[in-house]
Amino acid sequence: GAVVSQHPSWVICKSGTSVKIECRSLDFQATTMFWYRQFPKQSLMLMATSNEGSKATYEQGVEKDKFLINHASLTLSTLTVTSAHPEDSSFYICSAPGTDNSPLHFGNGTRLTVT
Amino acid sequence: QKEVEQDPGPLSVPEGAIVSLNCTYSNSAFQYFMWYRQYSRKGPELLMYTYSSGNKEDGRFTAQVDKSSKYISLFIRDSQPSDSATYLCAMSPYNAGNMLTFGGGTRLMVKP
């Protein structure tokens, strides 16, 4: 079945630095990928839709200059958290629909801790 | 009022019990209904996918959709400790891979 790989699985960084998270579709092409954020014991919150070859679409309230998304190929989307602050600490999860708009397949998430 | 409501739990049951997880929703345009299971510190994994109303069974899992009542359910038979996880319902009006609205998740604990 469709597999989405996300890397790294966890990262600790200092306040003010930037962190890049990669999301790959391993056995299928994904023109669209979705980035979610999840706080403890809460559901997934959609941050942005990543579109191959064009700009990402951000949800209301998500700072596009802080959360940079690049979808340079049909199998790779990246999320860069710029100038990270402790309040950016969270669980970030990417996903992609399978072929023929089949249900979303999720990566295993990245736990970001900003100190 | 949230568009998709889901009891957060936690729901604690003994091993072997039948578990019923539910979501209600307000948007009558939803046609695609999914259930995801999420273990702690992992991404959600797809369990069941249903289009429109009806039932679908896969092993110990049964998904039911009642569009007239705007109510969906996931039943787990012969629950196992390995079923302990958070269960998220998700739905979309257009297709199963886009414009998903998630419930808040129900945390299930199956005790041996």
Side-chain angles (χ1 to χ4, degrees), chain B residues 35-103:
Chain B
W35 284 96
Y36 286 88
R37 176 176 63 196
Q38 185 177 24
Y39 291 111
S40 181
R41 299 177 184 247
K42 296 289 186 182
E45 58 176 316
L46 179 68
L47 274 180
M48 300 288 283
Y49 162 40
T50 310
Y51 170 71
S52 195
S53 285
N55 295 356
K56 188 172 186 178
E57 186 174 323
D58 184 0
R60 295 186 295 111
F61 299 92
T62 299
Q64 288 186 351
V65 175
D66 182 348
K67 290 187 68 179
S68 62
S69 301
K70 298 189 182 70
Y71 187 87
I72 69 170
S73 301
L74 177 70
F75 297 95
I76 307 174
R77 290 183 299 281
D78 187 25
S79 56
Q80 303 294 310
S82 58
D83 295 328
S84 299
T86 296
Y87 290 79
L88 298 154
C89 64
M91 45 197 82
S92 171
Y94 306 114
N95 62 62
N98 203 347
M99 300 291 287
L100 263 62
T101 301
F102 283 88

Side-chain angles (χ1 to χ4, degrees), chain A residues 32 34 36 38 41-44 49 91 93 96-97 101-109 111, chain B residues 34 36 38 40-46 49 88 95-100 102-105 107:
Chain A
T32 301
F34 302 95
Y36 291 85
Q38 187 177 34
K41 298 186 179 181
Q42 294 189 25
S43 190
L44 286 76
T49 301
F91 194 52
I93 313 174
N101 292 314
S102 60
L104 288 182
H105 298 274
F106 287 86
N108 260 333
R111 184 161 303 281
Chain B
M34 281 68 65
Y36 286 88
Q38 185 177 24
S40 181
R41 299 177 184 247
K42 296 289 186 182
E45 58 176 316
L46 179 68
Y49 162 40
L88 298 154
N95 62 62
N98 203 347
M99 300 291 287
L100 263 62
F102 283 88
R107 196 155 61 94

Side-chain angles (χ1 to χ4, degrees), chain A residues 11-19 66 81-89 112-115:
Chain A
V11 59
I12 301 173
C13 71
K14 291 187 176 181
S15 190
T17 61
S18 295
V19 173
K66 179 167 188 60
V81 183
T82 63
S83 186
H85 289 106
E87 57 265 32
D88 297 325
S89 299
L112 170 63
T113 302
V114 184
T115 61

